[in-house]
Amino acid sequence: MYKILLKQQLAPNVKLLEIEAPLIARKAQPGQFVILRMNENGERIPLTIADFNRETGTITLLFQEVGASTSELGLLNTGEFLLDLVGPLGKATHIEKIGTVVCVGGGIGIAPVYPIARGMEEAGNEVISIIGARSKDILIYEEKMAAVSNELIITTDDGSKGRKALVTEPLKELLDSDKRIRLVVAIGPVIMMKFVAETTRPYGIPTIVSLNPIMVDGTGMCGGCRVLVGNENKFACVDGPEFDGHKVDFNVLMSRQRMYKLYENEHSKYSAEKREGVCKCHSC
Amino acid sequence: MSLLLTKHPMPEQEVTARVENFDEVTLGYTLELAKAEAERCLQCKTAPCRKGCPVEVDIPAFIKKVKAGDLDSAIAKIKEVNSLPAVCGRVCPQEEQCEKYCVLAKKGEAVGIGRLERYAADTARNKGEAITAIECSAAAQKVAIIGSGPAGLTVAGDLAKKGYKVTVFEALHLPGGVLMYGIPEFRLPKDEVVQAEINNLRKLGVEIIVNAVIGSTFTVDELMEKEGFDAVFIGTGAGLPHFMEIPGENLNGVYSANEFLTRCNLMKAYRFPQSATPIHVGKRVAVVGGGNVAMDGARTALRLGAEQVSIVYRRSEKELPARLEEVHHAKEEGIEFQLLTAPTAVLGNVDGWVIGLQCVRMELGEPDASGRRRPVEAPNSEFVLDVDTVIIAIGQGPNPLVQSTTKGLKTNKKGNIIADIDNGATSKPGVFAGGDIVTGAATVILAMGAGKKAAAAIDTYLQGKKECSL
Ligand SMILES: Cc1cc2nc3c(=O)[nH]c(=O)nc-3n(C[C@H](O)[C@H](O)[C@H](O)COP(=O)(O)OP(=O)(O)OC[C@H]3O[C@@H](n4cnc5c(N)ncnc54)[C@H](O)[C@@H]3O)c2cc1C
Ligand SMILES: Cc1cc2nc3c(=O)[nH]c(=O)nc-3n(C[C@H](O)[C@H](O)[C@H](O)COP(=O)(O)OP(=O)(O)OC[C@H]3O[C@@H](n4cnc5c(N)ncnc54)[C@H](O)[C@@H]3O)c2cc1C
Ligand code: SF4
Ligand code: SF4
Ligand code: FES
C-alpha cells in the first residue's frame, strides 16, 4: 500500500498527488513513469513521475481526469492509499550538456517536461521553455518552469495568458532566429507532439517526444503499447516512452489510442452509478 | 478382471454451459472414480512412466496410496518432488511426458496420471493442509528470487524448507507468472488453486514482494552488494511477445495473446465494467498459432462472446504443439481449425480497425531443423478470412530487462540467459537461472524441474560460501 501524503487541485480536472514510495523515489530519473492501481478492480494506470524527492522518499504525480479511472483517482484524498505502485518504468531521458535546449510542454504535458527541463538546466544547458494550454486557468507549473528556464514563453489558445498561439508558432520563430538550438523536447497531446516534430523537421533539429499509448503491464510483456518508430515496432514501456519525434508514426498512435473509446462510456457510467449507489449489478 | 483400455473420463461442464462462463471446464475425479482409475495402474517395477516426468514423481507409489484411499500419504509422496501438483495435474502435457511412457499406452490409454495427481492435490487442499513455518535463524543466508512463475516458486519453496531466508521479487501486482496472467481461469482457477498454492509458500516463510521490477526498482548487483542477498535465482520467463512482422499488425483489433490473456486473466476484463480494464472481442476472431497459448486465446475469445473463432496454424493437425486435451476441448466448443494456413497481412478499414486476415494455404515440404516437415506456400492459394479481431500467439522471447542491467551475465543469440542445465549456474558467481528465461518458452513442469536443480545447487553453493566465511 502506498500512502498519499498530499493532494492538490492545480486546475479544473488536473490534480497532483504526492505519494510515499521510497524505493521508486530512490531510482527515479526524468522521463520515467509509474503504473498504479487504486484497488482490486482497478486498471493499471500509467502516469509520468512529475517529480521525486530522494530525501523524503516521495514521488509526485500529476494527472488529468479524462475518464473513469482518472476521475476515480481524483476522489482519493490525503491519507488514503494506492493498492499498487510500480516503477520507475521506461528509459530515462538522456541528459547531457549540449548547449541550448528548447522544452515544449502542452497541457498536462508540462508536468513531465518539468523534471527534464530541470535536469537539462542542472547539466549546464541553456533552457528555453514554451508552455501552452487552452486557457489560463488550466495552465500549470508556470512558476516551476520559470525557475528552471533561461527564458519562458507562454501560449494559450484563447489568448487569456501569454501569446494567443499554438506552441509551434514561437518554436518556429526561435528556430529561425536562434541558431544555437541543439535539441527540442516536446511532451503534450499527441497532435501537439506531431506538429512540433513537423516544425523542427525542416531544420534538422533532433526532437524528442514522450509517447503515451495504452499500456497494461509496463514491463514489455503484452505488446499493447507498441508504436511504430522508423517503420519498426517498439514497445513504449521499455524501449521508450521517449522516441525520436521525426521517426514516430503519430497517426498509428492516435488511432490505437482510440481502441477502447466504445468502452469508456460504459465504464464511466458504471463508476458514476456505483458512486451514487444506484448500480443494479448486484455484485458490487 | 479384464483390463480397461480407456481412462475413466473426468466429469466436465457441459459444452453449451461452459462456453458461457469462465469456470473450470473439468471438474475432477470423485473418490470412486479416482480409486477406479488407480486400479488400472499395474504398479510396474521399472515404472517407465517416471522417466517421462521431468521431476520424477514416484507415480506407482502415489497411485497405490490413492487406490487404498490414503490420500494424505499420496500427496506427501508427490510433494517430495513436486510442490505444485494441483497445477501440474491440470496443465502438464501428460501425453508427451509421464503418460507417454505408461505401459498401458501401448495397447490403449495410459493411466490418468495427471488426473490422479490433481485429485490427490485438490483433496489435500480442500481438507486444509497444515503447513508450519520453517524458522530461519538470524544468521540464515538470504536468497533473492526474481520472478514468481513456477520456476521461481519452486526454488523459493525448496530453499525455504532448507532454512534459507527467501524473498521473491515480482514485477506484476500478483505472483504466479504465466499461471496468473496467461493460463485462463477455466483451465486453472486463480484464487482456488494458484493463489492457494502460493499462500502455502508464504506460510512456509517465503516473503513475496510484488510491484518490484528487477533491473529497475533494484538491479541484481544491488541485491547482492547492497541488499545483502547471498545468492540470486532468475526465473523471469519468456514474456516478450513475438509479432508476425506482416502489414496491418498495428490495427485496432490486433492483440498479442499475452495482452489478450493478461487483460482477461490478471485484470479480470471478463467482468468489465465491474473490473475497470476493458477488452475488445469482435464477432469473428482469428487466433494465429497452434500451441496452448493459441488454444487459450481462442477459447477465451469464445467465452467473451465471439460468434466464430478460428485457429490459424501453418502446419497440420499432427504438429499442433498444444496439449491434446486442449485441442479436444477447443473442438468440442466449436473452435474452427484453419490448418496449413499462414497469414500474410491484416486488412483494415479507414478508421484503423481490422476487417480481415489475408492468408495463404501451405503444403508440407522437406523436414526442417526441428524434424518437422517445413510448411511451404501453395501457389495461388491466397484468400481472406472474414474476421474483426486477430490474436497473435506465435511465441514469446525473453524479456531483456534483467540481462541488460546485470554485469557479467552471459546470454545467447536469442537473449536467453546461459545456464548449466544440471544446476542452473550462470556466468556470474552466485547467480542461478532456470525456466523459460533459459530454455525459451517450454512447460510448467520443466520450469519447476529447473527450479529444483537450481535450488539444490544454490544450497551447495551457500554451504560452501558459509564455510569460507567461517
Ligand atoms: C507512459 C505514460 C505516461 C503518462 N503520464 C501521464 C501523466 O503524467 N498525467 C496524465 O494525466 N496522464 C498520463 N498518461 C495518460 C493516462 O495514463 C491516461 O489518461 C489514463 O490511463 C486514462 O484512464 P481513464 O480511465 O481515466 O480514461 P479512459 O476513459 O479509459 O481513457 C481516456 C483516454 O486515455 C487513454 N488511455 C486509457 N487507458 C490508458 C492506459 N492504460 N494507458 C495509456 N492511455 C490510456 C485512452 O486511449 C483515451 O484516449 C500517461 C500515459 C502513459 C502511457
Ligand atoms: C497462455 C499460456 C498457456 C500455457 N499453457 C501451458 C500448459 O498447459 N502446460 C504447460 O506445461 N505449460 C504451459 N505454458 C507454458 C508455461 O506456463 C511456462 O513454460 C512456465 O510458466 C514458465 O515458468 P517460468 O517460471 O520460467 O516463467 P513465468 O511463468 O513466465 O514467470 C516469470 C515471472 O517473472 C516475472 N518477471 C519477469 N521479469 C521480471 C523482472 N525484471 N523483475 C521481476 N519479475 C519479473 C514475470 O512477471 C512473471 O511473473 C503456457 C504458457 C502460456 C503463456
Ligand atoms: S508432474 Fe506432470 S509429468 Fe510429472 S507425473 Fe505429474 S503430471 Fe506427469
Ligand atoms: S507405467 Fe503406467 S501402469 Fe506402470 S506404474 Fe506407471 S502408471 Fe502404472
Ligand atoms: S505495456 Fe505491455 S508491453 Fe508495454
Side-chain angles (χ1 to χ4, degrees), chain A residues 195-255:
Chain A
F195 282 109
V196 167
E198 286 318 317
T199 305
T200 57
R201 193 190 302 276
Y203 299 85
I205 308 280
T207 301
I208 303 289
V209 295
S210 178
L211 306 185
N212 55 348
I214 294 174
M215 294 188 173
V216 185
D217 58 300
T219 65
M221 181 270 277
C222 77
C225 65
R226 61 192 185 277
V227 287
L228 206 54
V229 182
N231 259 326
E232 239 184 278
N233 259 332
K234 298 278 178 193
F235 291 180
C237 68
V238 285
D239 301 323
E242 291 179 359
F243 293 100
D244 176 349
H246 294 149
K247 291 192 177 153
V248 171
D249 188 328
F250 290 100
N251 295 339
V252 171
L253 174 63
M254 282 188 273
S255 170

Side-chain angles (χ1 to χ4, degrees), chain A residues 33-34 43-50 61-72 108 111-112 210-216 236-237 241 256-261 264-265 267-268, chain B residues 263 276 278:
Chain A
F33 67 101
V34 292
E43 264 187 291
R44 291 175 64 94
I45 309 174
L47 293 175
T48 309
I49 304 175
L61 305 176
L62 240 84
F63 62 96
Q64 188 162 20
E65 293 162 333
V66 293
S69 292
T70 43
S71 300
E72 212 177 319
I108 184 88
S210 178
L211 306 185
N212 55 348
I214 294 174
M215 294 188 173
V216 185
C237 68
R256 285 184 60 77
Q257 279 183 335
R258 287 194 296 268
M259 170 117 178
Y260 297 100
K261 269 276 173 282
E264 285 164 17
N265 282 340
H267 183 203
S268 296
Chain B
R263 282 180 178 268

Side-chain angles (χ1 to χ4, degrees), chain B residues 50-314:
Chain B
R50 287 188 72 178
K51 76 163 189 275
C53 171
V55 296
E56 293 183 48
V57 167
D58 191 343
I59 295 164
F62 99 78
I63 292 183
K64 192 171 179 182
K65 298 295 180 190
V66 174
K67 191 164 119 186
D70 178 2
L71 289 154
D72 289 341
S73 308
I75 195 67
K77 196 82 218 152
I78 299 169
K79 285 217 165 169
E80 281 173 11
V81 290
N82 181 346
S83 49
L84 301 171
V87 175
C88 292
R90 285 174 167 81
V91 306
C92 271
Q94 286 96 5
E95 69 275 8
E96 293 292 322
Q97 299 181 332
C98 51
E99 294 180 14
K100 181 177 182 178
Y101 297 94
C102 172
V103 293
L104 298 194
K106 288 195 188 116
K107 288 227 178 74
E109 283 183 8
V111 172
I113 301 172
R115 296 175 184 184
L116 291 170
E117 185 168 313
R118 162 185 172 163
Y119 175 74
D122 287 356
T123 311
R125 194 180 59 252
N126 293 336
K127 216 174 92 181
E129 285 160 281
I131 293 186
T132 33
I134 311 281
E135 289 293 317
C136 49
S137 71
Q141 289 160 295
K142 285 169 65 180
V143 183
I145 314 273
I146 306 171
S148 61
L153 293 176
T154 302
V155 180
D158 282 13
L159 290 178
K161 283 183 199 148
K162 288 202 155 79
Y164 293 102
K165 186 156 173 21
V166 179
T167 309
V168 180
F169 295 92
E170 169 55 50
L172 294 172
H173 58 260
L174 283 172
V178 170
L179 308 182
M180 279 312 281
Y181 76 71
I183 303 180
E185 176 78 19
F186 57 79
R187 215 148 65 77
L188 184 63
K190 304 289 160 251
D191 291 343
E192 216 177 300
V193 178
V194 184
Q195 292 304 317
E197 294 283 0
I198 292 172
N199 280 332
N200 284 345
L201 285 178
R202 288 202 178 94
K203 286 185 206 155
L204 260 183
V206 172
E207 184 186 16
I208 301 177
I209 301 184
V210 294
N211 297 321
V213 184
I214 303 306
S216 173
T217 318
F218 297 100
T219 62
V220 169
D221 293 291
E222 282 166 349
L223 289 176
M224 301 182 80
E225 286 157 23
K226 293 197 188 136
E227 304 297 321
F229 286 97
D230 299 283
V232 172
F233 175 81
I234 304 172
T236 48
L240 189 83
H242 291 319
F243 286 87
M244 295 180 286
E245 316 288 336
I246 60 174
E249 274 186 301
N250 290 334
L251 289 163
N252 284 340
V254 181
Y255 278 111
S256 77
N258 273 9
E259 180 181 2
F260 191 75
L261 292 168
T262 300
R263 282 180 178 268
C264 199
N265 296 322
L266 185 72
M267 306 310 297
K268 305 271 180 276
Y270 62 92
R271 290 199 213 126
F272 181 83
Q274 259 160 281
S275 178
T277 307
I279 193 163
H280 172 81
V281 191
K283 289 199 166 68
R284 299 159 69 89
V285 180
V287 184
V288 184
N292 288 320
V293 186
M295 300 304 142
D296 286 346
R299 297 171 70 203
T300 297
L302 197 69
R303 283 162 173 74
L304 288 169
E307 286 163 14
Q308 192 192 20
V309 184
S310 316
I311 290 277
V312 177
Y313 180 57
R314 64 196 184 115

Side-chain angles (χ1 to χ4, degrees), chain B residues 241-440:
Chain B
H242 291 319
F243 286 87
M244 295 180 286
E245 316 288 336
I246 60 174
E249 274 186 301
N250 290 334
L251 289 163
N252 284 340
V254 181
Y255 278 111
S256 77
N258 273 9
E259 180 181 2
F260 191 75
L261 292 168
T262 300
R263 282 180 178 268
C264 199
N265 296 322
L266 185 72
M267 306 310 297
K268 305 271 180 276
Y270 62 92
R271 290 199 213 126
F272 181 83
Q274 259 160 281
S275 178
T277 307
I279 193 163
H280 172 81
V281 191
K283 289 199 166 68
R284 299 159 69 89
V285 180
V287 184
V288 184
N292 288 320
V293 186
M295 300 304 142
D296 286 346
R299 297 171 70 203
T300 297
L302 197 69
R303 283 162 173 74
L304 288 169
E307 286 163 14
Q308 192 192 20
V309 184
S310 316
I311 290 277
V312 177
Y313 180 57
R314 64 196 184 115
R315 299 181 195 254
S316 70
E317 167 138 18
K318 211 173 77 215
E319 286 89 14
L320 281 172
R323 295 178 74 221
L324 272 183
E325 186 177 279
E326 309 316 325
V327 177
H328 170 74
H329 280 150
K331 283 187 175 164
E332 268 185 354
E333 290 168 9
I335 307 285
E336 285 182 17
F337 284 74
Q338 295 281 348
L339 298 166
L340 288 164
T341 304
T344 50
V346 188
L347 310 177
N349 63 17
V350 284
D351 297 325
W353 284 86
V354 174
I355 53 166
L357 183 66
Q358 184 177 297
C359 303
V360 286
R361 297 291 183 197
M362 309 296 279
E363 288 162 353
L364 289 181
E366 295 300 309
D368 62 12
S370 71
R372 299 179 298 180
R373 291 173 63 194
R374 184 197 302 277
V376 288
E377 194 178 321
N380 306 321
S381 62
E382 202 159 85
F383 71 104
V384 174
L385 266 182
D386 173 20
V387 296
D388 45 22
T389 299
V390 174
I391 300 170
I392 303 169
I394 56 167
Q396 301 95 240
N399 186 317
L401 202 54
V402 169
Q403 298 86 298
S404 64
T405 52
T406 308
K407 278 180 271 168
L409 189 64
K410 288 220 173 88
T411 54
N412 67 14
K413 273 210 301 288
K414 289 184 182 160
N416 293 102
I417 296 177
I418 298 173
D420 190 319
I421 45 160
D422 291 324
N423 59 27
T426 68
S427 56
K428 192 175 169 76
V431 177
F432 298 75
D436 284 3
I437 187 64
V438 172
T439 56

